[in-house]
PDB file of all heavy atoms in Angstrom:
ATOM      1  N   MET X  24      70.026  91.310  67.875  1.00  0.00           N
ATOM      2  CA  MET X  24      71.169  92.047  68.457  1.00  0.00           C
ATOM      3  C   MET X  24      72.057  91.085  69.229  1.00  0.00           C
ATOM      4  O   MET X  24      71.596  90.359  70.126  1.00  0.00           O
ATOM      5  CB  MET X  24      70.677  93.150  69.353  1.00  0.00           C
ATOM      6  CG  MET X  24      71.757  94.157  69.661  1.00  0.00           C
ATOM      7  SD  MET X  24      71.155  95.825  69.766  1.00  0.00           S
ATOM      8  CE  MET X  24      69.695  95.634  70.786  1.00  0.00           C
ATOM      9  N   LYS X  25      73.323  91.086  68.887  1.00  0.00           N
ATOM     10  CA  LYS X  25      74.197  90.105  69.490  1.00  0.00           C
ATOM     11  C   LYS X  25      74.735  90.519  70.868  1.00  0.00           C
ATOM     12  O   LYS X  25      74.920  89.694  71.736  1.00  0.00           O
ATOM     13  CB  LYS X  25      75.388  89.856  68.522  1.00  0.00           C
ATOM     14  CG  LYS X  25      75.987  88.469  68.727  1.00  0.00           C
ATOM     15  CD  LYS X  25      77.101  88.224  67.745  1.00  0.00           C
ATOM     16  CE  LYS X  25      77.906  86.996  68.186  1.00  0.00           C
ATOM     17  NZ  LYS X  25      79.250  86.970  67.599  1.00  0.00           N
ATOM     18  N   TYR X  26      74.955  91.826  71.031  1.00  0.00           N
ATOM     19  CA  TYR X  26      75.535  92.306  72.283  1.00  0.00           C
ATOM     20  C   TYR X  26      74.622  93.270  72.986  1.00  0.00           C
ATOM     21  O   TYR X  26      74.013  94.136  72.375  1.00  0.00           O
ATOM     22  CB  TYR X  26      76.876  92.970  72.048  1.00  0.00           C
ATOM     23  CG  TYR X  26      77.952  92.043  71.606  1.00  0.00           C
ATOM     24  CD1 TYR X  26      78.305  91.952  70.255  1.00  0.00           C
ATOM     25  CD2 TYR X  26      78.620  91.247  72.517  1.00  0.00           C
ATOM     26  CE1 TYR X  26      79.295  91.063  69.842  1.00  0.00           C
ATOM     27  CE2 TYR X  26      79.609  90.389  72.107  1.00  0.00           C
ATOM     28  CZ  TYR X  26      79.948  90.287  70.765  1.00  0.00           C
ATOM     29  OH  TYR X  26      80.928  89.441  70.362  1.00  0.00           O
TER      30      TYR X  26
ATOM     31  P    DG W  30      73.230  90.297  72.217  1.00  0.00           P
ATOM     32  OP1  DG W  30      74.442  90.983  72.695  1.00  0.00           O
ATOM     33  OP2  DG W  30      73.331  89.202  71.289  1.00  0.00           O
ATOM     34  O5'  DG W  30      72.393  89.780  73.460  1.00  0.00           O
ATOM     35  C5'  DG W  30      72.538  88.458  73.997  1.00  0.00           C
ATOM     36  C4'  DG W  30      72.011  88.522  75.397  1.00  0.00           C
ATOM     37  O4'  DG W  30      71.523  87.233  75.804  1.00  0.00           O
ATOM     38  C3'  DG W  30      73.107  88.825  76.446  1.00  0.00           C
ATOM     39  O3'  DG W  30      72.416  89.218  77.631  1.00  0.00           O
ATOM     40  C2'  DG W  30      73.723  87.442  76.637  1.00  0.00           C
ATOM     41  C1'  DG W  30      72.533  86.546  76.492  1.00  0.00           C
ATOM     42  N9   DG W  30      72.748  85.296  75.751  1.00  0.00           N
ATOM     43  C8   DG W  30      73.504  85.093  74.602  1.00  0.00           C
ATOM     44  N7   DG W  30      73.499  83.851  74.220  1.00  0.00           N
ATOM     45  C5   DG W  30      72.702  83.170  75.145  1.00  0.00           C
ATOM     46  C6   DG W  30      72.332  81.813  75.241  1.00  0.00           C
ATOM     47  O6   DG W  30      72.631  80.884  74.490  1.00  0.00           O
ATOM     48  N1   DG W  30      71.515  81.588  76.370  1.00  0.00           N
ATOM     49  C2   DG W  30      71.105  82.548  77.256  1.00  0.00           C
ATOM     50  N2   DG W  30      70.340  82.174  78.251  1.00  0.00           N
ATOM     51  N3   DG W  30      71.471  83.835  77.149  1.00  0.00           N
ATOM     52  C4   DG W  30      72.254  84.073  76.092  1.00  0.00           C
ATOM     53  P    DT W  31      73.183  89.720  78.931  1.00  0.00           P
ATOM     54  OP1  DT W  31      72.353  90.710  79.630  1.00  0.00           O
ATOM     55  OP2  DT W  31      74.531  90.102  78.470  1.00  0.00           O
ATOM     56  O5'  DT W  31      73.279  88.443  79.839  1.00  0.00           O
ATOM     57  C5'  DT W  31      72.113  87.934  80.482  1.00  0.00           C
ATOM     58  C4'  DT W  31      72.336  86.573  81.087  1.00  0.00           C
ATOM     59  O4'  DT W  31      72.555  85.607  80.044  1.00  0.00           O
ATOM     60  C3'  DT W  31      73.583  86.472  81.962  1.00  0.00           C
ATOM     61  O3'  DT W  31      73.211  86.417  83.340  1.00  0.00           O
ATOM     62  C2'  DT W  31      74.270  85.178  81.533  1.00  0.00           C
ATOM     63  C1'  DT W  31      73.224  84.515  80.648  1.00  0.00           C
ATOM     64  N1   DT W  31      73.783  83.652  79.551  1.00  0.00           N
ATOM     65  C2   DT W  31      73.516  82.313  79.545  1.00  0.00           C
ATOM     66  O2   DT W  31      72.795  81.775  80.369  1.00  0.00           O
ATOM     67  N3   DT W  31      74.091  81.606  78.517  1.00  0.00           N
ATOM     68  C4   DT W  31      74.920  82.115  77.548  1.00  0.00           C
ATOM     69  O4   DT W  31      75.392  81.371  76.672  1.00  0.00           O
ATOM     70  C5   DT W  31      75.175  83.514  77.609  1.00  0.00           C
ATOM     71  C7   DT W  31      76.060  84.171  76.597  1.00  0.00           C
ATOM     72  C6   DT W  31      74.619  84.233  78.610  1.00  0.00           C
ATOM     73  P    DC W  32      74.349  86.171  84.488  1.00  0.00           P
ATOM     74  OP1  DC W  32      73.856  86.814  85.731  1.00  0.00           O
ATOM     75  OP2  DC W  32      75.653  86.562  83.939  1.00  0.00           O
ATOM     76  O5'  DC W  32      74.307  84.585  84.660  1.00  0.00           O
ATOM     77  C5'  DC W  32      73.205  84.001  85.336  1.00  0.00           C
ATOM     78  C4'  DC W  32      73.249  82.486  85.128  1.00  0.00           C
ATOM     79  O4'  DC W  32      73.459  82.191  83.756  1.00  0.00           O
ATOM     80  C3'  DC W  32      74.383  81.768  85.849  1.00  0.00           C
ATOM     81  O3'  DC W  32      73.950  81.404  87.188  1.00  0.00           O
ATOM     82  C2'  DC W  32      74.604  80.529  84.999  1.00  0.00           C
ATOM     83  C1'  DC W  32      74.056  80.901  83.635  1.00  0.00           C
ATOM     84  N1   DC W  32      75.116  80.971  82.564  1.00  0.00           N
ATOM     85  C2   DC W  32      75.439  79.852  81.817  1.00  0.00           C
ATOM     86  O2   DC W  32      74.865  78.795  82.085  1.00  0.00           O
ATOM     87  N3   DC W  32      76.376  79.917  80.852  1.00  0.00           N
ATOM     88  C4   DC W  32      76.999  81.088  80.601  1.00  0.00           C
ATOM     89  N4   DC W  32      77.896  81.118  79.608  1.00  0.00           N
ATOM     90  C5   DC W  32      76.688  82.264  81.341  1.00  0.00           C
ATOM     91  C6   DC W  32      75.743  82.181  82.287  1.00  0.00           C
TER      92       DC W  32
END
Side-chain angles (χ1 to χ4, degrees):
Chain X
M24 196 144 46
K25 206 178 166 200
Y26 292 100

